[in-house]
Amino acid sequence: MEIGIDSFIATGAYDGPLRPGESLQAMEALLAKIEFADRSGLHVFGLGEHHRKEFLDEAPAVILAAAAARTKNIRLTSAVTVLSAADPVRVFQEYATLDLISKGRAEIVAGRGSFVDAYPLFGLNLDDYDALFAEKIELLLAIRDQETVTWKGRFRPALQEQPIYPRPYQGSLPVWIGVGGTPQSFVRAGMLGLPLMVAVIGGETRNFRPLIDLYYEAGKKAGHPREKLKVGLHFLGYVAETTQQAKDAYFPGYQQMMGKIGKERGWAVPTRAQFEAQAGPTGAYVVGDPGEVATKILRHSEALGGISRFTFQMDNPGLTHEQVYRSIELIGTKVIPLVNGPQGQ
């Protein structure tokens, strides 16, 4: 199983602008963190895309290219590319270029985004939310699979025998579908024969099993072999020396972060009891010591019939630089060996 980290470069600027120099410091800290994750043996690092003042990931391919020059082995992916609001030609060109810079380590996780800010920003109608993605993923895959493309759709000018460059180092650029909990999204990924990245932000992981089954069934009906259909999971998570240390360190920043997001979405500020429930054996948060975290990852994998990738979302304003680096180190030196040992094969 591949294990890594996803980041949204949260700046904490929910209530006001960043002070001079803070954006520069946040960007440098992110690049250093990716470099450290690579040295620590993590398999993948993903970067989200948002268009809000509290994030700095508006141009993830640019940031990942900078990270590519500072790393050697770690795979570099979007998490997710808001494809509905982008031009698939430019997305392909950007990530094909990233693939060349990284010598074959680039991937795309394509999705519709958990925020809607990109739609008015790029002059798109939210009523076309699903139609935009369906059309653009079709075009992105056509470009991936063919050097010269003829294509026609509703939302973009047609292409007639149009060659598209550069071509990626890998030959076929890996494209995943990023989903939340909409059955239609799972079915679409299966029909397209694409690997699936599932964001689990609450509840119990086992509740996603019917949706995963829908994905596999759709893939089977479309004629895709089972080995082509892979599932990855994205979780809030953090690792420390002991489970109590991990929970105590993670909760304050988690409460702050979710409280501010919740204010916008109408959620209540999460309590410690609610956090503890989600951090329990079957809950959605993977927070604990290396042994407990590894056990929980394997439990989630078993509940869903096997997963190929697991990523931690570790952005948390309450964690210090030292705590984050120690967590990455523990993932690389303890969690990955435990998950991929004899019991994790």
Side-chain angles (χ1 to χ4, degrees):
M1 185 190 304
E2 294 178 315
I3 296 178
I5 292 174
D6 291 330
S7 177
F8 303 150
I9 327 181
T11 65
Y14 293 90
D15 303 317
L18 290 172
R19 294 189 296 273
E22 285 185 324
S23 294
L24 188 151
Q25 293 167 9
M27 194 65 71
E28 178 54 35
L30 172 77
L31 293 172
K33 183 164 64 175
I34 300 174
E35 190 174 3
F36 185 73
D38 182 49
R39 294 200 307 269
S40 299
L42 275 64
H43 303 119
V44 60
F45 200 103
L47 201 57
E49 178 189 340
H50 301 82
H51 299 272
R52 304 167 64 86
K53 67 180 178 181
E54 63 265 31
F55 300 104
L56 279 174
D57 56 358
E58 288 82 358
V62 177
I63 302 169
L64 291 172
R70 297 169 59 157
T71 56
K72 295 181 179 180
N73 300 306
I74 198 165
R75 297 195 68 78
L76 300 167
T77 182
S78 59
V80 302
T81 294
V82 185
L83 187 63
S84 303
D87 179 357
V89 174
R90 292 298 289 158
V91 169
F92 179 83
Q93 291 176 324
E94 289 167 358
Y95 281 86
T97 301
L98 171 63
D99 202 53
L100 294 171
I101 294 170
S102 65
K103 299 181 176 64
R105 294 185 280 132
E107 298 185 4
I108 298 171
V109 177
R112 295 178 293 187
S114 59
F115 293 94
V116 298
D117 304 79
Y119 293 83
L121 178 63
F122 295 108
L124 301 169
N125 191 332
L126 268 176
D127 292 340
D128 298 323
Y129 184 75
D130 189 66
L132 280 163
F133 184 77
E135 178 175 297
K136 292 187 177 188
I137 190 66
E138 175 191 276
L139 177 54
L140 179 64
L141 295 177
I143 298 167
R144 182 194 68 172
D145 296 338
Q146 306 163 45
E147 186 171 322
T148 301
V149 176
T150 296
W151 177 90
K152 185 177 182 180
R154 287 176 55 198
F155 302 106
R156 189 199 185 284
L159 297 171
Q160 182 65 39
E161 293 296 312
Q162 180 66 53
I164 297 174
Y165 304 106
R167 306 310 295 179
Y169 180 85
Q170 294 179 80
S172 181
L173 188 66
V175 176
W176 297 59
I177 297 286
V179 301
T182 307
Q184 181 185 2
S185 297
F186 287 78
V187 171
R188 176 188 287 126
M191 291 177 62
L192 294 172
L194 296 177
L196 185 71
M197 198 69 194
V198 185
V200 182
I201 59 173
E204 295 192 350
T205 308
R206 61 189 176 186
N207 294 335
F208 282 82
R209 183 59 186 263
L211 295 171
I212 299 297
D213 290 342
L214 274 178
Y215 165 67
Y216 285 129
E217 184 62 28
K220 180 180 179 181
K221 286 182 179 179
H224 300 294
R226 179 65 179 251
E227 59 268 20
K228 188 178 178 181
L229 303 173
K230 301 189 295 183
V231 175
L233 296 179
H234 163 93
F235 277 76
L236 294 179
Y238 173 66
V239 187
E241 305 291 348
T242 72
T243 294
Q244 194 61 51
Q245 287 175 353
K247 290 179 178 178
D248 289 345
Y250 193 83
F251 175 72
Y254 157 82
Q255 186 181 50
Q256 175 188 345
M257 176 177 61
M258 298 304 288
K260 289 178 178 177
I261 294 174
K263 186 184 298 184
E264 179 178 329
R265 299 190 175 189
W267 304 339
V269 176
T271 65
R272 181 65 185 247
Q274 291 169 328
F275 170 76
E276 290 285 348
Q278 288 294 310
T282 60
Y285 304 157
V286 182
V287 179
D289 64 49
E292 184 164 334
V293 164
T295 298
K296 193 165 186 178
I297 291 172
L298 291 170
R299 185 184 298 119
H300 287 327
S301 179
E302 182 179 2
L304 298 183
I307 64 172
S308 300
R309 176 175 290 180
F310 183 95
T311 58
F312 292 83
Q313 206 296 89
M314 207 182 297
D315 293 343
N316 183 308
L319 296 176
T320 67
H321 171 91
E322 291 75 17
Q323 287 172 321
V324 170
Y325 270 55
R326 181 56 178 156
S327 185
I328 292 171
E329 185 177 29
L330 288 170
I331 292 169
T333 60
K334 302 290 185 181
V335 175
I336 289 176
L338 286 170
V339 170
N340 289 331
Q343 73 272 37
Q345 296 302 317

